Amino acid sequence: MTDFHYDIDADGIATITWDVPDKSMNVLNLEGTAELDALVDKALGDENVVGVVITSGKADFAGGMDLNVISKMAEMAGDDPARGLFDGIMNFHRITRKIERAGMDAKNKGGKPIAAALPGTALGIGFEIPLACHRIFAADNPKAKIGLPEILVGIFPGAGGTTRLSRKMDMMSAAPILMEGKLSDPTKAKRLGLVDEVVPADELLSAAKAWVKSATDADIVKPWDVKGFKMPGGAPYHPAGFMTYVGASAMIHGKTKGVYPAAKAMLSAIYEGAQVPFDTAIRIEARWFTNVLMNPSSSAMINTLFTHKTALEKGAVRPAGIKDMKVRKLGVMGAGMMGAGIAFVSARVGIEVVLLDRDQEAANKGLATIQGLLDQGVKRKKITPEKSTEIISHVSATADYADLQGCDLIVEAVFEDPAIKATVTKAAEAQLSEDAIFATNTSTLPITELAKASRDDSRYIGIHFFSPVHLMNLVEIIKGEKTGDEAVAKALDFVRQIKKTPIVVNDARFFYANRCILPYVNEGIRMLDEGVEPAMVDNVAKLMGMPVGPLQLADEVSIDLSMKIMKATQNAMGDAYPYSAADDIVEKMFNDDRMGRKNNKGFYDYDEKGKRTGIWEGLRSQWPVADEQPDITEVKHRLAMAQVLEAVRSFEEGVLEDIREGDVGAILGWGFQPWSGGPFSWLDMIGAEHAVAICDDLTAKFGERFTTPALLRELADSGETFYGKFGPKAKDAA
Ligand code: NAD
């Protein structure tokens, strides 16, 4: 199998075309790397070749590196994986550097011009190769995404992208691209200086070739290969550079709280590299990249946020043997906050949506919410006015159940009241054909119970979105006791259609995500009663890598909703309800009308614009702060274990069927410390034995809620890991 093709035209221009067989997107693996290497040699060594264009045979240039390459390089090196990684990385540097130098002598003469011609998306190493070329042409393809998203999966551009980009533009301009993984369409990429020219798609190759033909020696020398090169924006010891690097260092620490090794390592590579010649700089980059790859956080993030997330999106848990069940016409019942959001994300991908509410006025309100989201998109130039008109045209707002005729899926998002849900389920089903699937977006009511209102509980399912629907990518699919495979397949196909990430769980109180997040919030709140300084609670949570501390989260969710959930749970559980100080605190806040962000007063104070101004002073008078404060590690352990133990119990009880879903769901659903790869990856990282020790300690001090689950203890006793025992490889082998 060849991933790259080679031909020479009548003008002596060699074209290296990347076209991985049987894949819709090019990705680089080790075999492809060797092929590219050989073809570059061939072109540079052939005296009949005057220059080279590197392009793609597909609509896009490349999606990046096949991330399995990383583990392969480490494995191939046996007991010295760091050496294997470093050597493997240096091999990429050797090839890109060969492209960049293109046969030039020490005086920068005699090289062959090499242009990159990008028909579409070019990401990761798929953009680092072009960065090594002498000129980058991009087709004016508005769908194309160009950039270096590595940081989003816990690594950084380690095939020269970091060193080249920080020499191509000043740090301030490079920061969003390198440090935040911001992607650009070709027009923006040109404006930022990422690509040199944007040309009509059908002129891409000819434009690149014309440039190759006319390029002079001076055109192909990179600035950093010219004597006297100065870092744009200033090197670290230049006054301007000094300011930049000091600022960048603080900014990165502020953003990552020190828990993401990649951002810091990337900045170190840039900072240290900026003080030495290019060839030394890329060696330094390779060292830092090896360092990051050897950190368990990077493999955990790659596994969860790339490998496992992609597998779930592609249907890893879809029931086998069921035909494609894509949605053609969707009915959304309840045009409130959630219903409007669900209608919006569905219409956005072209699904015809009927948005139904109690009366026309309420339905129109939902339509207006969608229009508002679209207007915002137009204002921020995320979509064109034409696209906005097209999207809204897919939605019809109504109060007439007859309009639901022809819908093949219904998602119900009316009030959280079983009686109302039962009524609307019956009324809707009277209009639907028998093969339609009915889904509820309930966040607290058992699916199995709600399904009783349906004429066919095998076609009834939970499709649980998170708020705000258009921003939250996780969708929790919940199987009731009788839910059948077709309903699961339909829900999964729908989630894929709207480009979100699904997890499938079984029916149990609060399903998965809310089950784990509620104890986190409670744990934080009950600390107030113990006299823990409130700022410590939320700040420690952030130091763990949680996006929002428990007290802030309680405010965001709103105290009245917490109160409602609390009361409903108390009613449902009766004597088994585990009362705690958190219940009293929530009740007190509720009685004092401190509802959180929604009324501008909660655990935090807010200004009239709704901006948080600080912890509410009254907290410290209501729940006095103790003289002696707990150890930070202990607070971290409590806040982490409150969530993680629920995840383990969910798996133990069969609510979760696949630990990958537990990890992906945790990061996407409630932002569980992403650096850890999720609760199960985190437990594997610290080791079951250590986790058990933490739990035993917390149980002795704080009570039964931290009791070690039997499964975790078993793993500790047998020296196993979650992924070793229950991961996809173990499953396949079973
Ligand atoms: P909401 O109050 O904003 O909207 C509910 C809508 O349902 C209102 O427009 C109301 O007019 C309509 N409605 C009520 N009775 C109806 C009837 N008989 N027929 C037709 N329409 C009717 O509530 P929401 O926050 O959008 O929540 C809706 C559902 O989504 C609930 O089941 C809730 O548990 C669930 N949910 C909410 C969130 C959240 O964060 N708000 C998250 C996940 C799931």
Tab-separated table of all heavy atoms in Angstrom, residues 333-340 342 356-359 362-363 401 412-417 420-421 423-424 440-445 464-467 514 561, ligand 1:
chain	number	residue	atom	x	y	z
A	333	MET	N	-40.766	18.369	21.690
A	333	MET	CA	-41.916	18.808	22.476
A	333	MET	C	-41.444	19.601	23.672
A	333	MET	O	-40.634	19.115	24.458
A	333	MET	CB	-42.715	17.596	22.926
A	333	MET	CG	-43.098	16.735	21.741
A	333	MET	SD	-44.006	15.305	22.260
A	333	MET	CE	-45.494	16.053	22.808
A	334	GLY	N	-41.963	20.803	23.795
A	334	GLY	CA	-41.494	21.718	24.826
A	334	GLY	C	-40.478	22.619	24.157
A	334	GLY	O	-39.416	22.167	23.721
A	335	ALA	N	-40.849	23.902	24.020
A	335	ALA	CA	-39.954	24.825	23.313
A	335	ALA	C	-39.240	25.732	24.308
A	335	ALA	O	-38.956	26.891	24.025
A	335	ALA	CB	-40.763	25.648	22.308
A	336	GLY	N	-38.960	25.176	25.498
A	336	GLY	CA	-38.255	25.955	26.518
A	336	GLY	C	-36.765	25.976	26.235
A	336	GLY	O	-36.329	25.790	25.091
A	337	MET	N	-36.018	26.169	27.313
A	337	MET	CA	-34.574	26.307	27.142
A	337	MET	C	-33.967	25.084	26.439
A	337	MET	O	-33.212	25.217	25.485
A	337	MET	CB	-33.957	26.464	28.523
A	337	MET	CG	-32.505	26.776	28.491
A	337	MET	SD	-31.928	27.149	30.127
A	337	MET	CE	-31.659	25.520	30.775
A	338	MET	N	-34.324	23.889	26.899
A	338	MET	CA	-33.720	22.684	26.334
A	338	MET	C	-34.301	22.371	24.953
A	338	MET	O	-33.570	22.069	24.009
A	338	MET	CB	-33.916	21.488	27.269
A	338	MET	CG	-33.263	21.626	28.611
A	338	MET	SD	-31.488	21.958	28.529
A	338	MET	CE	-30.857	20.382	28.013
A	339	GLY	N	-35.636	22.440	24.846
A	339	GLY	CA	-36.286	22.103	23.578
A	339	GLY	C	-35.784	22.980	22.438
A	339	GLY	O	-35.460	22.492	21.344
A	340	ALA	N	-35.683	24.280	22.704
A	340	ALA	CA	-35.216	25.198	21.654
A	340	ALA	C	-33.780	24.834	21.259
A	340	ALA	O	-33.436	24.823	20.072
A	340	ALA	CB	-35.299	26.641	22.139
A	342	ILE	N	-32.327	21.901	21.477
A	342	ILE	CA	-32.299	20.632	20.732
A	342	ILE	C	-32.778	20.861	19.288
A	342	ILE	O	-32.200	20.338	18.334
A	342	ILE	CB	-33.181	19.570	21.450
A	342	ILE	CG1	-32.601	19.272	22.843
A	342	ILE	CG2	-33.301	18.299	20.629
A	342	ILE	CD1	-33.555	18.574	23.802
A	356	LEU	N	-42.922	21.844	19.163
A	356	LEU	CA	-44.293	21.941	19.678
A	356	LEU	C	-44.314	22.386	21.140
A	356	LEU	O	-43.486	21.937	21.938
A	356	LEU	CB	-44.963	20.572	19.539
A	356	LEU	CG	-46.396	20.429	20.044
A	356	LEU	CD1	-47.197	19.531	19.093
A	356	LEU	CD2	-46.461	19.861	21.460
A	357	ASP	N	-45.245	23.275	21.463
A	357	ASP	CA	-45.440	23.653	22.872
A	357	ASP	C	-46.937	23.747	23.148
A	357	ASP	O	-47.759	23.442	22.274
A	357	ASP	CB	-44.713	24.971	23.191
A	357	ASP	CG	-44.278	25.029	24.654
A	357	ASP	OD1	-45.153	25.032	25.548
A	357	ASP	OD2	-43.047	25.048	24.913
A	358	ARG	N	-47.263	24.185	24.373
A	358	ARG	CA	-48.663	24.183	24.797
A	358	ARG	C	-49.550	25.053	23.925
A	358	ARG	O	-50.693	24.761	23.665
A	358	ARG	CB	-48.779	24.701	26.238
A	358	ARG	CG	-48.310	23.697	27.235
A	358	ARG	CD	-48.379	24.274	28.608
A	358	ARG	NE	-47.342	25.299	28.812
A	358	ARG	CZ	-47.083	25.851	29.970
A	358	ARG	NH1	-47.778	25.528	31.030
A	358	ARG	NH2	-46.116	26.743	30.080
A	359	ASP	N	-49.029	26.196	23.547
A	359	ASP	CA	-49.781	27.073	22.654
A	359	ASP	C	-48.805	27.700	21.672
A	359	ASP	O	-47.580	27.609	21.848
A	359	ASP	CB	-50.566	28.133	23.445
A	359	ASP	CG	-49.667	28.837	24.439
A	359	ASP	OD1	-48.558	29.243	24.035
A	359	ASP	OD2	-50.033	28.944	25.633
A	362	ALA	N	-46.099	30.044	23.076
A	362	ALA	CA	-44.949	29.387	23.721
A	362	ALA	C	-44.035	28.762	22.663
A	362	ALA	O	-42.805	28.814	22.777
A	362	ALA	CB	-45.433	28.330	24.698
A	363	ALA	N	-44.640	28.196	21.630
A	363	ALA	CA	-43.831	27.590	20.561
A	363	ALA	C	-43.019	28.667	19.847
A	363	ALA	O	-41.833	28.484	19.546
A	363	ALA	CB	-44.732	26.855	19.575
A	401	TYR	N	-50.736	18.991	17.496
A	401	TYR	CA	-50.111	17.667	17.498
A	401	TYR	C	-50.098	17.008	16.126
A	401	TYR	O	-49.227	16.192	15.823
A	401	TYR	CB	-50.796	16.752	18.525
A	401	TYR	CG	-50.281	16.966	19.923
A	401	TYR	CD1	-50.733	18.026	20.696
A	401	TYR	CD2	-49.308	16.131	20.457
A	401	TYR	CE1	-50.241	18.243	21.974
A	401	TYR	CE2	-48.806	16.333	21.729
A	401	TYR	CZ	-49.271	17.396	22.487
A	401	TYR	OH	-48.771	17.615	23.743
A	412	GLU	N	-38.791	14.698	23.810
A	412	GLU	CA	-39.707	15.451	24.667
A	412	GLU	C	-38.904	16.199	25.717
A	412	GLU	O	-38.048	15.614	26.384
A	412	GLU	CB	-40.690	14.433	25.268
A	412	GLU	CG	-41.503	14.905	26.429
A	412	GLU	CD	-40.754	14.749	27.739
A	412	GLU	OE1	-40.360	13.637	28.095
A	412	GLU	OE2	-40.555	15.792	28.392
A	413	ALA	N	-39.156	17.518	25.821
A	413	ALA	CA	-38.450	18.340	26.822
A	413	ALA	C	-39.441	19.296	27.475
A	413	ALA	O	-39.217	20.505	27.533
A	413	ALA	CB	-37.300	19.099	26.160
A	414	VAL	N	-40.578	18.739	27.922
A	414	VAL	CA	-41.565	19.572	28.623
A	414	VAL	C	-41.183	19.599	30.109
A	414	VAL	O	-40.130	19.089	30.496
A	414	VAL	CB	-43.013	19.038	28.416
A	414	VAL	CG1	-43.361	19.024	26.938
A	414	VAL	CG2	-43.195	17.657	29.015
A	415	PHE	N	-42.034	20.195	30.927
A	415	PHE	CA	-41.721	20.314	32.354
A	415	PHE	C	-41.359	18.962	32.960
A	415	PHE	O	-41.860	17.922	32.531
A	415	PHE	CB	-42.919	20.887	33.126
A	415	PHE	CG	-43.240	22.311	32.776
A	415	PHE	CD1	-44.562	22.758	32.792
A	415	PHE	CD2	-42.249	23.213	32.440
A	415	PHE	CE1	-44.877	24.074	32.481
A	415	PHE	CE2	-42.553	24.535	32.127
A	415	PHE	CZ	-43.871	24.963	32.149
A	416	GLU	N	-40.530	19.030	34.005
A	416	GLU	CA	-40.072	17.805	34.669
A	416	GLU	C	-41.175	17.271	35.588
A	416	GLU	O	-41.071	17.339	36.812
A	416	GLU	CB	-38.784	18.130	35.446
A	416	GLU	CG	-38.042	16.944	35.991
A	416	GLU	CD	-37.289	16.139	34.939
A	416	GLU	OE1	-37.670	16.193	33.755
A	416	GLU	OE2	-36.332	15.448	35.299
A	417	ASP	N	-42.235	16.774	34.983
A	417	ASP	CA	-43.388	16.300	35.751
A	417	ASP	C	-43.917	15.047	35.051
A	417	ASP	O	-44.343	15.103	33.894
A	417	ASP	CB	-44.435	17.427	35.761
A	417	ASP	CG	-45.722	17.015	36.453
A	417	ASP	OD1	-46.086	15.819	36.379
A	417	ASP	OD2	-46.371	17.885	37.046
A	420	ILE	N	-47.366	15.276	33.269
A	420	ILE	CA	-47.366	16.058	32.018
A	420	ILE	C	-46.649	15.259	30.927
A	420	ILE	O	-47.106	15.169	29.783
A	420	ILE	CB	-46.678	17.432	32.211
A	420	ILE	CG1	-47.430	18.242	33.262
A	420	ILE	CG2	-46.595	18.188	30.891
A	420	ILE	CD1	-46.830	19.599	33.559
A	421	LYS	N	-45.537	14.638	31.313
A	421	LYS	CA	-44.777	13.863	30.321
A	421	LYS	C	-45.635	12.725	29.779
A	421	LYS	O	-45.631	12.442	28.575
A	421	LYS	CB	-43.462	13.349	30.931
A	421	LYS	CG	-42.428	14.486	31.123
A	421	LYS	CD	-41.043	13.960	31.385
A	421	LYS	CE	-40.030	15.009	31.794
A	421	LYS	NZ	-39.627	15.967	30.780
A	423	THR	N	-48.926	12.609	29.553
A	423	THR	CA	-49.973	13.152	28.681
A	423	THR	C	-49.433	13.477	27.290
A	423	THR	O	-50.025	13.109	26.271
A	423	THR	CB	-50.558	14.457	29.296
A	423	THR	OG1	-50.857	14.192	30.655
A	423	THR	CG2	-51.786	14.929	28.550
A	424	VAL	N	-48.298	14.161	27.250
A	424	VAL	CA	-47.792	14.561	25.928
A	424	VAL	C	-47.274	13.349	25.146
A	424	VAL	O	-47.348	13.322	23.921
A	424	VAL	CB	-46.703	15.668	26.004
A	424	VAL	CG1	-47.232	16.898	26.732
A	424	VAL	CG2	-45.402	15.186	26.628
A	440	THR	N	-37.120	10.933	25.783
A	440	THR	CA	-37.336	12.000	26.759
A	440	THR	C	-35.998	12.591	27.162
A	440	THR	O	-34.996	11.878	27.235
A	440	THR	CB	-38.069	11.479	28.016
A	440	THR	OG1	-38.110	12.544	28.973
A	440	THR	CG2	-37.356	10.289	28.645
A	441	ASN	N	-36.028	13.902	27.416
A	441	ASN	CA	-34.807	14.603	27.824
A	441	ASN	C	-34.771	14.783	29.355
A	441	ASN	O	-34.012	15.600	29.863
A	441	ASN	CB	-34.763	15.967	27.115
A	441	ASN	CG	-33.526	16.770	27.446
A	441	ASN	OD1	-32.427	16.250	27.410
A	441	ASN	ND2	-33.698	18.038	27.791
A	442	THR	N	-35.563	14.031	30.046
A	442	THR	CA	-35.602	14.208	31.514
A	442	THR	C	-34.212	14.114	32.125
A	442	THR	O	-33.379	13.353	31.657
A	442	THR	CB	-36.487	13.126	32.166
A	442	THR	OG1	-36.493	13.362	33.576
A	442	THR	CG2	-35.982	11.718	31.920
A	443	SER	N	-33.987	14.897	33.202
A	443	SER	CA	-32.690	14.736	33.850
A	443	SER	C	-32.792	13.954	35.148
A	443	SER	O	-31.765	13.547	35.682
A	443	SER	CB	-31.992	16.074	34.090
A	443	SER	OG	-32.881	17.114	34.203
A	444	THR	N	-33.982	13.774	35.652
A	444	THR	CA	-34.076	13.095	36.956
A	444	THR	C	-35.064	11.926	37.002
A	444	THR	O	-34.973	11.093	37.903
A	444	THR	CB	-34.508	14.100	38.055
A	444	THR	OG1	-35.755	14.681	37.658
A	444	THR	CG2	-33.491	15.180	38.264
A	445	LEU	N	-36.019	11.878	36.085
A	445	LEU	CA	-37.072	10.858	36.233
A	445	LEU	C	-36.645	9.530	35.605
A	445	LEU	O	-36.065	9.518	34.526
A	445	LEU	CB	-38.365	11.365	35.572
A	445	LEU	CG	-38.883	12.699	36.133
A	445	LEU	CD1	-39.983	13.280	35.243
A	445	LEU	CD2	-39.390	12.521	37.554
A	464	HIS	N	-30.524	12.458	26.848
A	464	HIS	CA	-30.319	13.518	27.832
A	464	HIS	C	-29.242	14.496	27.369
A	464	HIS	O	-28.066	14.137	27.290
A	464	HIS	CB	-29.935	12.869	29.170
A	464	HIS	CG	-29.707	13.830	30.285
A	464	HIS	ND1	-28.765	13.644	31.263
A	464	HIS	CD2	-30.312	15.002	30.578
A	464	HIS	CE1	-28.797	14.657	32.100
A	464	HIS	NE2	-29.723	15.493	31.709
A	465	PHE	N	-29.690	15.704	27.057
A	465	PHE	CA	-28.762	16.761	26.637
A	465	PHE	C	-28.312	17.550	27.856
A	465	PHE	O	-28.970	17.550	28.890
A	465	PHE	CB	-29.470	17.716	25.670
A	465	PHE	CG	-29.662	17.146	24.295
A	465	PHE	CD1	-30.743	16.324	24.008
A	465	PHE	CD2	-28.772	17.440	23.280
A	465	PHE	CE1	-30.923	15.803	22.743
A	465	PHE	CE2	-28.942	16.921	22.004
A	465	PHE	CZ	-30.019	16.110	21.738
A	466	PHE	N	-27.210	18.258	27.703
A	466	PHE	CA	-26.729	19.127	28.769
A	466	PHE	C	-26.893	20.574	28.336
A	466	PHE	O	-26.899	20.882	27.146
A	466	PHE	CB	-25.266	18.810	29.094
A	466	PHE	CG	-25.108	17.423	29.658
A	466	PHE	CD1	-25.060	16.314	28.817
A	466	PHE	CD2	-25.066	17.215	31.023
A	466	PHE	CE1	-24.955	15.029	29.324
A	466	PHE	CE2	-24.974	15.934	31.548
A	466	PHE	CZ	-24.912	14.844	30.693
A	467	SER	N	-27.004	21.428	29.303
A	467	SER	CA	-27.284	22.835	29.014
A	467	SER	C	-25.989	23.651	29.055
A	467	SER	O	-25.184	23.440	29.973
A	467	SER	CB	-28.269	23.342	30.061
A	467	SER	OG	-28.437	24.711	29.933
A	514	ASN	N	-24.943	13.362	36.107
A	514	ASN	CA	-25.468	14.069	37.277
A	514	ASN	C	-25.215	13.297	38.569
A	514	ASN	O	-25.023	13.885	39.629
A	514	ASN	CB	-26.966	14.333	37.109
A	514	ASN	CG	-27.211	15.429	36.070
A	514	ASN	OD1	-26.306	16.188	35.747
A	514	ASN	ND2	-28.411	15.498	35.531
A	561	LEU	N	-33.108	24.846	41.913
A	561	LEU	CA	-33.087	23.540	41.245
A	561	LEU	C	-32.462	22.492	42.174
A	561	LEU	O	-32.978	21.376	42.304
A	561	LEU	CB	-32.327	23.622	39.908
A	561	LEU	CG	-32.321	22.335	39.100
A	561	LEU	CD1	-33.742	21.912	38.738
A	561	LEU	CD2	-31.510	22.494	37.804
B	1	NAD	P1	-38.386	24.923	30.454
B	1	NAD	O1	-39.279	25.241	31.577
B	1	NAD	O2	-37.441	25.969	29.958
B	1	NAD	O3	-39.219	24.424	29.207
B	1	NAD	C1	-40.285	23.533	29.290
B	1	NAD	C2	-41.216	23.835	28.146
B	1	NAD	O4	-42.207	22.836	28.105
B	1	NAD	C3	-41.937	25.190	28.284
B	1	NAD	O5	-41.791	25.926	27.085
B	1	NAD	C4	-43.388	24.783	28.491
B	1	NAD	O6	-44.308	25.705	27.944
B	1	NAD	C5	-43.428	23.450	27.774
B	1	NAD	N1	-44.526	22.625	28.220
B	1	NAD	C6	-44.977	22.418	29.467
B	1	NAD	N2	-46.049	21.618	29.461
B	1	NAD	C7	-46.304	21.310	28.170
B	1	NAD	C8	-47.308	20.543	27.519
B	1	NAD	N3	-48.241	19.929	28.199
B	1	NAD	N4	-47.233	20.454	26.183
B	1	NAD	C9	-46.294	21.071	25.473
B	1	NAD	N5	-45.342	21.846	26.042
B	1	NAD	C10	-45.337	21.951	27.377
B	1	NAD	O7	-37.587	23.628	30.921
B	1	NAD	P2	-36.211	23.061	30.398
B	1	NAD	O8	-35.122	23.547	31.283
B	1	NAD	O9	-36.104	23.265	28.941
B	1	NAD	O10	-36.358	21.508	30.723
B	1	NAD	C11	-37.159	20.671	29.959
B	1	NAD	C12	-36.803	19.230	30.236
B	1	NAD	O11	-35.413	19.040	30.003
B	1	NAD	C13	-37.057	18.738	31.642
B	1	NAD	O12	-37.469	17.406	31.598
B	1	NAD	C14	-35.698	18.841	32.296
B	1	NAD	O13	-35.520	17.924	33.352
B	1	NAD	C15	-34.809	18.464	31.152
B	1	NAD	N6	-33.431	18.948	31.256
B	1	NAD	C16	-33.157	20.196	31.694
B	1	NAD	C17	-31.860	20.624	31.760
B	1	NAD	C18	-31.524	22.017	32.215
B	1	NAD	O14	-30.357	22.285	32.469
B	1	NAD	N7	-32.474	22.913	32.272
B	1	NAD	C19	-30.813	19.764	31.365
B	1	NAD	C20	-31.128	18.487	30.905
B	1	NAD	C21	-32.442	18.105	30.856
